[in-house]
Amino acid sequence: QETHNERFLRAHEAAVSAPTPSAIVHEVVRFLEAPERLAAYRTRLAGLGHPEAAETIVRQLLGAVV
């Protein structure tokens, strides 16, 4: 599940991959050096969210049962 989520977010340029501690440091530094890059990632990520997804799923399941 998480691998799928990571690939999806990376494909939409809403996340980066940093598999090692040094890669994490590298990506953090890149974001700190380019706040506009961080803002762009944040905007793309917000556009992909579904904050009411759990409620929608429960309502659909309850509708199927009743």
Side-chain angles (χ1 to χ4, degrees):
Q1 176 68 34
E2 295 309 314
T3 300
H4 172 76
N5 290 341
E6 178 195 359
R7 287 182 185 150
F8 177 82
L9 293 173
R10 287 178 52 213
H12 289 85
E13 295 185 329
V16 295
S17 180
T20 66
S22 62
I24 293 168
V25 170
H26 175 75
E27 290 299 334
V28 168
V29 169
R30 287 184 67 203
F31 279 119
L32 291 174
E33 291 176 342
E36 68 283 354
R37 180 174 177 251
L38 179 59
Y41 271 75
R42 185 179 291 129
T43 298
R44 287 189 293 267
L45 183 59
L48 296 172
H50 300 283
E52 296 179 11
E55 183 177 342
T56 299
I57 292 168
V58 169
R59 288 185 186 280
Q60 289 175 349
L61 290 172
L62 289 175
V65 174
V66 177

